[in-house]
Amino acid sequence: MRMRTRRGRTIYWVVFALTLTGFTFAFLFPVYWMVTGAFKAPDEMLQSPPTYVPKEWHGDNYADAWRRMDLARYLKNTALQAGGAWFFQIVLCTAAAYALSKLKPIFGQVVLGAILATLMVPASALLVPKYLTAIDVPFVGTNLLNTPWAIWLPSVANAFNLYLLKRFFDQLPGDVLEAAAIDGAGPLRTLWHVVLPMSRPVLGVVSIFAVVAVWQDFLWPLLVFPDTDKQPVSVALVQLSASLPLTYLIAAMVIASIPMVTVFLVFQRHIIAGISAGGVKE
């Protein structure tokens, strides 16, 4: 009843505007501080109290950071590692989720429960077993250090993305799959021609999660890439930060974050659609 009065509507919109402004400021101010901080001189960046607008705009900080920190090489390394992790995760997680959802294998629920149980294990507890596996792969005896495989193979075992895909496949209408089977389509053909075209929203969100997880990871790449020339940008920034001005480091951080921000802005609708589709029950 209060919303029907003029005073109630005014209070509502004032509170809504203040809340929206507060959250927008809280999220965007660190980004503004990072972007403008890269334009400052090193002395101005460290002064107290800080300046919220650069006294002098040093636009060449970005170009100098790009050149002196060799960001092109490290971004290329990161793109290679993230692209491979995305490919293997999409292929194998999609196949596993489809099998668990539609093919109903024996002990499928036990396997799914074991996979989901890994979500309860802290990531830090898996570092030592993963590292020991990477330096001596069982049954193969290969050392994966300083190779992209050290990133690609562990990223495939992503229980969250697999469960997200399975939940989406569970909601696909059975009539469509039965019609494909009547037409003579086998499991692989049904997956390729029927299931995947209907799964674009969840494939989009899984792709974003897979790429972002590799792009922002630090500890694991630090362990498996002792060769600095093969490190991703997240590790390289820390390794080079001690020998360069702070403004160069901030400029490099801005440059390194541009690809992920762009991906999010382009595919944000797929993120919301994919998560919503994966979480709604039939």
Side-chain angles (χ1 to χ4, degrees):
M1 294 297 293
R2 294 181 180 178
M3 286 297 298
R4 297 180 181 178
T5 64
R6 183 175 181 180
R7 184 187 178 200
R9 290 193 298 269
T10 301
I11 294 175
Y12 170 79
W13 285 112
V14 169
V15 173
F16 176 79
L18 292 176
T19 303
L20 181 63
T21 303
F23 276 98
T24 303
F25 178 81
F27 280 101
L28 295 183
F29 181 76
V31 178
Y32 167 81
W33 184 263
M34 181 174 64
V35 173
T36 57
F39 285 102
K40 298 178 180 179
D43 295 338
E44 183 182 358
M45 188 64 195
L46 297 174
Q47 77 177 32
S48 182
T51 56
Y52 298 102
V53 179
K55 297 178 182 178
E56 296 183 7
W57 294 80
H58 297 270
D60 55 347
N61 286 347
Y62 284 94
D64 292 341
W66 178 271
R67 183 181 65 257
R68 294 182 60 179
M69 302 183 74
D70 198 8
L71 290 180
R73 177 175 61 185
Y74 294 117
L75 287 173
K76 181 180 178 181
N77 294 342
T78 309
L80 175 64
Q81 297 163 19
W86 164 80
F87 174 78
F88 287 110
Q89 197 169 139
I90 284 293
V91 172
L92 297 179
C93 285
T94 300
Y98 176 71
L100 292 172
S101 175
K102 298 302 180 183
L103 302 184
K104 306 296 184 182
I106 301 176
F107 302 118
Q109 293 300 320
V110 176
V111 173
L112 178 62
I115 293 174
L116 294 180
T118 61
L119 294 174
M120 304 297 106
V121 181
S124 57
L126 299 176
L127 282 177
V128 174
K130 285 170 57 178
Y131 183 77
L132 294 177
T133 303
I135 63 177
D136 187 11
V137 181
F139 308 110
V140 180
T142 303
N143 190 334
L144 301 181
L145 298 186
N146 289 320
T147 67
W149 291 101
I151 301 294
W152 296 345
L153 293 183
S155 66
V156 173
N158 192 304
F160 176 78
N161 285 345
L162 188 149
Y163 180 70
L164 195 63
L165 287 164
K166 181 186 179 299
R167 288 291 301 145
F168 187 89
F169 293 158
D170 288 342
Q171 299 172 54
L172 296 179
D175 296 342
V176 177
L177 302 183
E178 292 175 1
I182 293 174
D183 290 339
L188 290 179
R189 186 177 177 184
T190 302
L191 173 63
W192 183 258
H193 291 284
V194 179
V195 175
L196 292 183
M198 299 173 63
S199 305
R200 291 178 180 176
V202 72
L203 291 177
V205 69
V206 168
S207 299
I208 293 173
F209 285 168
V211 173
V212 170
V214 175
W215 200 277
Q216 68 179 7
D217 195 11
F218 170 76
L219 184 56
W220 180 245
L222 178 65
L223 294 175
V224 298
F225 286 107
D227 186 353
T228 56
D229 291 338
K230 298 181 180 181
Q231 291 175 345
V233 67
S234 60
V235 178
L237 291 181
V238 177
Q239 301 282 23
L240 300 174
S241 61
S243 59
L244 293 173
L246 180 59
T247 52
Y248 287 5
L249 176 61
I250 297 176
M253 293 169 60
V254 174
I255 296 173
S257 63
I258 289 176
M260 290 298 96
V261 173
T262 303
V263 168
F264 174 77
L265 293 177
V266 173
F267 296 103
Q268 58 179 325
R269 290 185 299 176
H270 293 282
I271 296 177
I272 299 173
I275 294 177
S276 300
V280 178
K281 297 182 179 180
E282 294 182 356

